[in-house]
Amino acid sequence: MTANLLDFDLEGLAAFCGQLGEKRFRATQLFRWIHQRGATEFGQMTDLAKSLRDKLSGSARIEALPVLSQHESADGTIKWLFDVGDGDAVETVFIPESDRGTLCVSSQAGCAVGCRFCSTGHQGFSRNLSTGEIIAQLWFAEHFLRKHLGQTDRVISNVVMMGMGEPLQNFSALVPALRAMLDDHGYGLSRRRVTVSTSGVVPMIDRLAQECPVALAVSLHAPNDALRDGLVPLNKKYPIVELLDACQRYLAYAPRDFITFEYCMLDGVNDQPAHAEQLVTLLRQHAGQGMRAKINLIPFNPFPASGLTRSSPPAINAFLRIVNDAGLVVTVRKTRGDDIDAACGQLAGDVQDRTRVVERIALQRNVRVQDIQRPAKEVSL
Ligand code: SAH
Ligand code: SF4
């Protein structure tokens, strides 16, 4: 089996080139061809010696993810569904704004955390994505969008690890992918513009601080443990105080001087004035210890199996006012891509129905549905 070069950050690629007897600067050239220019064939890489191109052809490949579908929303949001094999698929969403282009990237097929309000959580866990599968989402989107928008400059300025999956439960694949995003020879994104969102895997927050500090968003969703235990089951393992302590430690290494706290507004569950007051008290206690916070209220995006509904606009406004009047920084997230089910927590909508995904993969590959359900290597392409 040849190596997929999308699996490497620059260090990894340099080590791989070293095994081929090539110098480090060759790895840099190769990395630029792949990530900055979107090359897929070694033959395109005209400034590499023919002998190296031949060596690469025999030992390596640049393998993107097959696209199962693409939907474009009226507001310009684009959602892709990628085939990751064995009937699994993951989604990636591009969100254009006047001053930035944000890509929302998946880290796992499914998710093991099982949050009550999240469609991916209801789907269950299938497997971790590899580094190559994480970076392939950015690689594809960036180079597709340049062509689609007729642009030669970079289109994607921000990445948020807020697609399907819990990124900090796939740490070893995540970190090289983040490094490729940050690398000046890769996508050259600033640390402040790459955000890892986590439901609160405390030990991995500390490791991220050491190994690859980027902006951090924490999915809080509740101001006390009793409520959070029922919404984010991981809270039973890492309760709120431990999580906030980890956030505070993280700030010493973070590229930004605050942590973003996400709070999904669920009608009658966590959206009452008393919850807002508790949240203020909780975050103030930690602010006293030097932790700065920004709170992002996310109107819940409903899906049938959740049995939950979105908080009413007056409830969201009342909550916002209490938190804001207490002097904390708080915003309400605009929902984007509603018409194509690309909003937060709706990403698994298409994926959830495995049969539909399998049928689509079969159609695309021109094989029988029965063949798809066997391991990928047995499927003739
Ligand atoms: N697993 C990570 C990142 C992916 S989820 C995490 O939980 O942080 C990205 C964000 O979408 C999280 O804040 C999550 O709580 C939120 N989310 C999940 N389901 C949602 C839904 N149905 N409506 C609104 N936000 C949702
Ligand atoms: Fe997993 Fe995040 Fe969804 Fe929770 S909200 S189930 S951690 S993807």
Side-chain angles (χ1 to χ4, degrees):
M1 189 67 170
T2 56
N4 183 6
L5 299 187
L6 291 183
D7 272 320
F8 296 130
D9 58 9
L10 184 53
E11 282 310 308
L13 192 61
F16 179 78
C17 287
Q19 286 166 11
L20 298 178
E22 296 290 336
K23 298 228 166 61
R24 189 188 167 91
F25 82 96
R26 291 291 178 209
T28 306
Q29 277 178 303
L30 187 52
F31 202 70
R32 294 173 70 100
W33 270 108
I34 298 169
H35 296 291
Q36 296 192 339
R37 303 182 66 171
T40 48
E41 306 292 335
F42 300 117
Q44 290 171 267
M45 304 178 181
T46 42
D47 57 353
L48 297 186
K50 174 85 169 51
S51 58
L52 171 56
R53 284 188 263 151
D54 289 346
K55 261 193 256 179
L56 288 170
S57 300
S59 58
R61 66 191 197 285
I62 301 160
E63 190 184 330
L65 291 173
V67 179
L68 290 170
S69 66
Q70 173 178 322
H71 294 281
E72 188 159 356
S73 155
D75 67 13
T77 301
I78 303 181
K79 177 176 85 165
W80 295 277
L81 182 67
F82 291 103
D83 175 11
V84 293
D86 293 344
D88 283 322
V90 297
E91 287 180 326
T92 309
V93 181
F94 173 65
I95 306 144
E97 284 170 280
S98 57
D99 58 342
R100 72 182 88 171
T102 303
L103 193 71
C104 179
V105 170
S106 293
S107 56
Q108 300 179 312
C111 183
V113 178
C115 299
R116 213 178 121 199
F117 51 84
C118 172
S119 172
T120 310
H122 279 245
Q123 180 199 347
F125 178 67
S126 195
R127 69 169 176 86
N128 278 330
L129 298 188
S130 64
T131 297
E133 289 168 332
I134 297 172
I135 211 69
Q137 298 169 59
L138 173 58
W139 180 90
F140 174 86
E142 175 65 35
H143 298 292
F144 168 85
L145 288 165
R146 280 189 207 173
K147 278 190 223 112
H148 185 63
L149 304 172
Q151 219 170 296
T152 48
D153 295 348
R154 188 169 73 185
V155 177
I156 294 164
S157 58
N158 296 56
V159 169
V160 292
M161 296 301 304
M162 293 187 186
M164 297 166 66
E166 169 48 56
L168 294 187
Q169 287 187 338
N170 186 13
F171 192 80
S172 59
L174 174 73
V175 166
L178 295 177
R179 289 192 176 133
M181 294 173 194
L182 301 173
D183 203 303
D184 283 341
H185 299 295
Y187 299 87
L189 299 179
S190 104
R191 287 184 188 279
R192 303 156 61 88
R193 289 172 172 267
V194 175
T195 302
V196 168
S197 176
T198 180
S199 55
V201 192
V202 164
M204 293 301 153
I205 293 177
D206 289 319
R207 277 193 63 191
L208 190 67
Q210 295 304 322
E211 295 185 31
C212 195
V214 291
L216 187 68
V218 169
S219 295
L220 191 60
H221 307 309
N224 63 66
D225 284 322
L227 189 54
R228 195 166 188 265
D229 281 351
L231 295 174
V232 183
L234 195 66
N235 194 66
K236 293 181 201 132
K237 195 161 179 195
Y238 305 114
I240 292 177
V241 169
E242 284 181 34
L243 177 56
L244 294 182
D245 284 348
C247 291
Q248 201 176 321
R249 292 193 295 276
Y250 192 82
L251 277 176
Y253 303 88
R256 291 186 176 273
D257 59 0
F258 61 87
I259 305 277
T260 304
F261 290 96
E262 293 159 289
Y263 196 103
C264 182
M265 299 295 289
L266 304 163
D267 184 29
V269 176
N270 64 355
D271 65 346
Q272 299 299 300
H275 297 126
E277 279 150 20
Q278 265 186 44
L279 182 66
V280 167
T281 310
L282 182 73
L283 292 178
R284 270 209 187 133
Q285 276 163 4
H286 276 76
Q289 294 158 35
M291 193 190 66
R292 291 189 55 201
K294 277 195 183 171
I295 301 145
N296 201 201
L297 303 179
I298 314 173
F300 171 60
N301 294 308
F303 59 99
S306 69
L308 297 161
T309 47
R310 178 184 288 188
S311 303
S312 67
I316 298 179
N317 283 333
F319 196 101
L320 178 85
R321 214 169 314 117
I322 293 170
V323 178
N324 190 56
D325 289 352
L328 294 169
V329 181
V330 54
T331 52
V332 179
R333 183 178 294 172
K334 281 183 287 191
T335 41
R336 297 286 303 263
D338 268 352
D339 52 340
I340 55 166
D341 277 357
C344 305
Q346 290 184 319
L347 292 186
D350 279 346
V351 178
Q352 216 163 26
D353 185 348
R354 256 178 107 86
T355 333
R356 250 169 61 207
V357 173
V358 166
E359 277 165 9
R360 227 183 294 172
I361 296 171
L363 195 68
Q364 175 139 1
R365 292 188 189 163
N366 201 17
V367 295
R368 293 173 312 160
V369 167
Q370 302 90 292
D371 294 331
I372 295 287
Q373 273 142 351
R374 288 199 230 126
K377 55 183 180 300
E378 287 179 38
V379 176
S380 55
L381 294 174

